[in-house]
Amino acid sequence: NYDSEEDFEDDYLDDDDDYSDDEDMSWKVRRSCAKCLSAIVQARPELLCDIYTRVSPVLISRFKEREKTVRMDIFNTYSSILRQTANSTHALVPDDEMMDITPLTQLAS
């Protein structure tokens, strides 16, 4: 039992000071999500248009990720999106027309 409400608050409500990034395991979830997205991009190139409209803005917003390993996986995932776009575009467009196609122009069409 606590003598006062202050004693209770001191023990339970001020635990934020004891919490550190070492105990934060959510970075593992973020890293796994980035790897999963990368696998989806490589396995399902027909989803590129949806990935650009739905996933790309979220990935770009995560470029400022605080965990270095997660940030690198996010960069790698976005790189795989760009590589897959280039691969898909090469299959559909002759090389002489390739210079005019960028991910942005592909999205616009």
Side-chain angles (χ1 to χ4, degrees):
N1 287 337
Y2 294 97
D3 294 331
S4 70
E5 194 172 321
E6 284 181 25
D7 292 337
F8 175 81
E9 289 175 358
D10 287 345
D11 282 351
Y12 289 100
L13 299 181
D14 292 337
D15 282 343
D16 292 340
D17 297 334
D18 298 333
Y19 187 75
S20 71
D21 282 342
D22 295 335
E23 298 167 0
D24 180 15
M25 295 298 177
S26 65
W27 66 270
K28 291 180 179 181
V29 175
R30 296 189 306 273
R31 186 173 187 201
S32 295
C33 286
K35 289 181 178 187
C36 182
L37 281 171
S38 185
I40 291 170
V41 167
Q42 293 171 11
R44 301 287 305 271
E46 70 275 10
L47 297 176
L48 275 177
C49 192
D50 286 337
I51 289 171
Y52 269 113
T53 57
R54 296 179 183 179
V55 176
S56 186
V58 176
L59 272 178
I60 291 170
S61 73
R62 298 306 307 174
F63 284 177
K64 60 181 182 254
E65 170 67 42
R66 71 175 183 265
E67 290 290 329
K68 185 177 183 179
T69 56
V70 178
R71 190 171 51 240
M72 293 307 299
D73 283 328
I74 290 170
F75 289 150
N76 288 335
T77 299
Y78 201 77
S79 293
S80 71
I81 291 172
L82 296 176
R83 275 192 306 277
Q84 193 66 3
T85 301
N87 292 341
S88 297
T89 307
H90 278 294
L92 299 173
V93 179
D95 286 338
D96 58 338
E97 296 176 21
M98 198 63 186
M99 297 302 289
D100 296 333
I101 296 182
T102 65
L104 183 59
T105 57
Q106 187 176 12
L107 280 176
S109 59

